[in-house]
Amino acid sequence: MTAIHDALRRDLDQLLRATAGHTPARARWIMFAGQLRFHLAAEAAAMWSPARAKLAGDPPGQALLDAMEDEQQLIGPLLAVTDDAITMNTDPVRLRQLLTRLRARLTSHLAHEEADALPLIEQIMSPGELGAIARAIGGRHRGGHATRTIPWALAGTSSNIRTQALGHLPAPTRLLYRHIWLPRHTRNTAPL
């Protein structure tokens, strides 16, 4: 999951550095926004809902999950307005302001999740449940989403992180990643 969080941070940083009207920046935004929407929806379905059931009768645990959901609800409108600004080819200064606000909101949420929520999830979920969460968030429960999520998330990571992340995948998935998904991602993703 941290590889996906790191990829979200990476793309926002790159988008902030890119020229607003630049075609690769537009394409990168489309990929980023789609990945963020998928990630938030997958977390809500695969992680927050089962965790809430396990934390029944635990007010501090429930409060933490409420905070996670509240933070995610605040990201959605910023994502939508930024999406509109990019679609309408808005003023680069305004676009930069929106991207900066989105980055602040998203990185704050991700840091809170990584510091407090993920350790709690690891404590209350079984290894099988954690595996199901990882598969859902990585896109392996949704048709072809993994074919885009995995190479996107691992792009630009160190070989250690890449090896560690790929080590959690079955051998056929690793082969698909190396021989089909990664080459396609590399071919279709222009540098910013």
Side-chain angles (χ1 to χ4, degrees):
M1 171 130 34
T2 57
I4 292 173
H5 287 183
D6 290 345
L8 292 168
R9 290 179 183 105
R10 174 202 67 217
D11 277 13
L12 262 178
D13 288 343
Q14 290 176 351
L15 284 162
L16 271 163
R17 287 191 300 270
T19 306
H22 198 55
T23 302
R26 227 177 262 276
R28 181 69 58 89
W29 169 259
I30 292 167
M31 174 64 87
F32 166 82
Q35 290 292 346
L36 179 56
R37 285 185 184 100
F38 177 82
H39 180 73
L40 295 175
E43 279 186 343
M47 191 161 63
W48 304 137
S49 292
R52 189 166 294 286
K54 287 208 174 225
L55 291 168
D58 178 356
Q62 292 286 336
L64 177 59
L65 295 181
D66 289 343
M68 291 294 106
E69 290 173 357
D70 291 347
E71 290 170 13
Q72 287 187 346
Q73 291 296 322
L74 294 172
I75 292 167
L78 271 173
L79 185 61
V81 74
T82 307
D83 200 33
D84 288 346
I86 288 175
T87 300
M88 295 185 306
N89 207 19
T90 195
D91 172 56
V93 173
R94 174 71 176 136
L95 182 57
R96 185 167 181 73
Q97 291 169 342
L98 291 169
L99 287 168
T100 300
R101 287 177 54 207
L102 179 59
R103 181 177 63 178
R105 177 84 57 196
L106 180 61
T107 57
S108 172
H109 167 69
L110 296 176
H112 186 201
E113 183 179 315
E114 291 164 0
D116 297 328
L118 294 181
L120 177 62
I121 298 296
E122 289 175 2
Q123 289 175 4
I124 64 170
M125 298 293 194
S126 71
E129 291 167 325
L130 291 171
I133 292 168
R135 285 188 298 280
I137 291 172
R140 289 180 275 155
H141 282 185
R142 287 247 194 127
H145 200 76
T147 67
R148 293 180 307 280
T149 299
I150 295 170
W152 166 81
L154 297 179
T157 60
S158 71
S159 61
N160 289 344
I161 291 173
R162 201 169 29 259
T163 300
Q164 179 185 11
L166 291 172
H168 294 288
L169 302 175
T173 304
R174 289 192 303 268
L175 282 171
L176 287 169
Y177 166 79
R178 286 187 180 105
H179 297 286
I180 297 172
W181 303 346
L182 179 60
R184 181 177 48 220
H185 176 78
T186 303
R187 218 177 20 255
N188 295 334
T189 306
L192 292 179

